[in-house]
Amino acid sequence: MSALITFENVGKIYKTGSIVYEALHDVNLEIEEGELVVILGPSGAGKSTLLNLLGGLDAASSGKIFFASEELTAFDDVKLGKFRAMDVGIIFQFYNLVPTLTAVENVALMEELGIKIMDPVKALEMVGLAERKNNFPSQMSGGQQQRVSIARALAKQPRLLLCDEPTGALDTNTGKEVLKILQDQSRVYNKTVVMVTHNALFAEVADKVIYVKNGTVVEVKHNDSPKDAFDLDW
Amino acid sequence: MKKNLIKKMFRDLRFNAVQFVSIFIMCFLAIFLLAGFDADTQGRLRSSDRYFKKTNFFDLLLTSEGFTREDIDTLEEIPEIAHAERRTSLKGKVTNCLNKKIELNFIESDEVCKLYLMEGEPFTAGKRGIWIDWHFAKVHNLSIGDTVEIDIDGKAISEPVTGIVDEPQHTNFMIDESYTEAQYGDYAYAFLDTSEYPLDDINFETAVVDLTTVENQMYLTDEDMKAFKTAKLDILDKISKTSMSIMIKPEQEAYAAQRSDCSFNDTMIAIFPSLFIVLALLSTITTMSRITAKQRTVIGTLKALGFSRKTITLHYISYTVVIAFMGCFLGLLAGYYGLGEWLIEDFYDYYSVPGGSMGMSYMVPVVALSVVVFSGVANYLSCRRLLVLSASTILMPEAPKAGGAGFIEKLFIWKHLSFATRWNLRDININRFRSVMGVFGVLICSSILMGAFGFDEILAEQDDWMYDDLRPADYTINLSDRGGYSWAYDYAREYKGQMIMTSNAELMSRTDSRLFTVTVVDKGNLYRVQNDKREYLDIPVYGAIISYKAAEALNVKKGGNISFRLPTEKKIYTVSVTDICKSPDVQGIIVSRNCFEKMGGYFDPQTVYTDMTVPVSIASDRREVTGVINKNELIHSLEKDMESMNDMVIVIIVIGMITGFTGMYNTGIMSYIEKTRDVATLKVLGFATEKIRWILQQQNLFLTGAGTILGIPVGHLYIKYLIDSMDPTADYIVDLTYLPYVKMVAFTYGLSILVNALISTRVKSINMVEALKGVE
């Protein structure tokens, strides 16, 4: 496998008035295409910052980030936007659906990026929610909303799926279902899935586990025999 | 725009209906009033302009003791003059039409102020017959070929109707002072050839002049005004009549009245639409700031999903652009076809302008479009703060606003304030923009109400001021201007009355000269004068009292000198100004008969005021009497005249209430939504619903108080604008009692308390769990 994503000495600093906070410091890592990667670490370790930089949601303060040999850190706002639209699917902890759009409309929203996406109903079928397509987010459970969020991310068939605590707001069974969908994206469809979590149990389903602490990558572990999501002892 | 984003927009508009409806109403009202008043103004100006061009309305009107054929030839030799015609008129009664009054105009030709022929033959010099006004012909069923019997000072004439016409000098024609507004058909004017003049010696007292360089009618330019001045000087140079006075077109009564009405419209256009536009833009800013803040996560998500900043910005801008466009478009239609048509119909009731229609200036669509554009810009500015941030920053929850009540917290009194007061003061200080918006909304409402109630009181006082304080006479006898002193003296003696002479005159100060009125008052107590504090002033034995508006126009001060010349006299009178008075209906100077005669003037009264009962029948029985009017008729006529003003006051009050309600409800809802978490917290802590509602009400009362106080001076400014835009011959005393203030405070507070009560009912049903969730 070739590296889809490469971080070279990446740092991120936040400034609020006179207060300077170093969220990431000298991060180096590689993520291969089709891998399921779990980024683990305690609160405030820099996991979400890492994910934001991966998805082009934020700009690095130092260092270089490459995606399929292209330097993301050299992209302007417009190119970053295109990158997010074409190559990245994001799944949030709190689903972040547009409350005034139905499930199918939330997925169809991706059409408006001017890219070719799969049939929104088919995307909902993939996550087992075709029958709730005309429901508004407020009419669905947390798990259902998260599945719509996944369908939205999958609809544009991105190369990279980024998940920020995707099961953080879900119960155990629903969490496993969501995790299974994400695992299948990597195993069946060869998508690169990067998942941020503070739940160490998820390390068992990952191909690669990146441990983050105090803004640096402290360890990268390869998992030769990842478990199936439904086999997790949650 | 994108299909799903459009769906999202319309659903968001529905979920935030109150805020967007208020923006819609503001935009609608702004363009409704603008289009309505503009349709009226443009309709008047364009129709009159067309009519005056078609009839070649005069540029100069000359008055003297008489113009000879040579005078007219001399005038026509002046290069700036294209044509000049002399005219004279007589008043009489149409004996075969209920003895109705008629003004007969005798003309030699029909080149200047041409007759506008509705039916019959055009005027031909030397032809027998009468060209009678079409309103009178219509009311009295006169047709071409009918005979009109007229009595002029005992001389009977009979003329066949040759033409039915309108004439531009008579666009707002009132035959005598017994009318305060035009009542077409109740009297007549007509034109005849000079060969039909029924009395012995014809004396042409007026001449109408058309200038070569002035083509414009209602849209006079600086060049036109210069041309008037040059022509005036040339005429004075060439015509040796020192008694001659020259009136330029804009000074003509009907012309000036139309201009004055348009100036009132301009004031309405300047005040109300601008207020509503400002309010609409501020509502846009507050509403969109709140919506974008509330949709922070949605915006962050859209950005994270790859939507460009431009797409998201355009999406949010479209919210208010759509609403503003709908408001402006419907406002334009309703304003033009509703208000505009109503106003212009009212105009054509008082002004005779054949072929009149409505109009629209380019300003209306430009302003409407600007409102839409500015609402987009205001929207952009309010969304920009969030949209410039990176997707990851937007997705982070916003930090709570920090801060206290500012310097007040350092004061000793702070510790002694109640929890509610401290909570409210901190909330106001932390949310300064929202609080200022709240005060501004109340200010708009209270100032409009202050203006309306204040103006209403001033109008209501006008008839008391005029007919109790200044002209308390029970009866007014108007005499023919051909009678001279002896007739007036006889009636004054018979009815123990007071004689008054009024005359248009050119008033001259050291810096300027203008046409005003000179009133000469004989001994008596039925014609009185007051200053701006409504204190009586004695008419000086020697000296003049000048009206406030004349003094201002001519820059004359108390103690200074003023000169005047009467239209048919050579003599220039100069007199010192002893005082300045407020005059409700006539602007100029007032001198005593004694003073006037000492200066060598001939006292020639046309009016006798008396407290004795005068039989109305003498107006028809005696030819020297042109009218007998009792005080009640005058009051009734004034009240009728004021009806449209009173309607306007009601419209202004309604506008104030609508503005106040929408403004207060909008900012109130916004304020409540922002405080939802605080309110839920207080409720969780065990505060009773009523206690929380009272805390919210306290802040509301405080902000309403601030807005109400600021509304008082602004309301006074509105009153000043309204008065300045009224008829230039009218004046008012602004001496308000406590009542307009009480009404304004009561209405503003009533509205504010009602709005707050409506909003705070939500406290009872607040979902504490939902409200206290960390995210949407």
Side-chain angles (χ1 to χ4, degrees), chain B residues 53 69 190 265 336 346 372 416 466 525 749 774:
Chain B
K53 272 182 181 150
R69 187 63 246 171
N265 282 0
Y336 186 79
D346 194 48
V372 176
H416 301 277
M466 277 181 79
N525 194 28
Y749 262 95

Side-chain angles (χ1 to χ4, degrees), chain A residues 14 52 57-58 77 81 84-85 90 92 96 98-102 105 108-110 112-113 136 152 156, chain B residues 2-5 7-8 11-12 15 297-298 301-307 309 390-392 395-396 776:
Chain A
Y14 290 109
N52 290 339
L57 270 66
D58 210 347
D77 254 10
R84 287 197 301 269
I90 302 176
F92 302 91
N96 292 11
V98 178
T100 46
L101 294 181
T102 60
E105 287 166 355
L109 196 60
M110 296 297 99
E112 293 171 8
L113 288 168
F136 283 98
R152 181 176 66 183
K156 61 181 178 181
Chain B
K2 327 282 184 176
K3 192 177 73 183
N4 287 300
L5 288 180
K7 280 185 191 168
K8 175 180 175 294
R11 284 175 193 156
D12 282 341
F15 292 137
T297 317
V298 174
T301 307
L302 291 176
K303 222 172 171 185
L305 292 174
F307 282 86
R309 193 202 299 180
S390 69
S392 64
L395 283 167
M396 282 183 218
E776 276 181 66

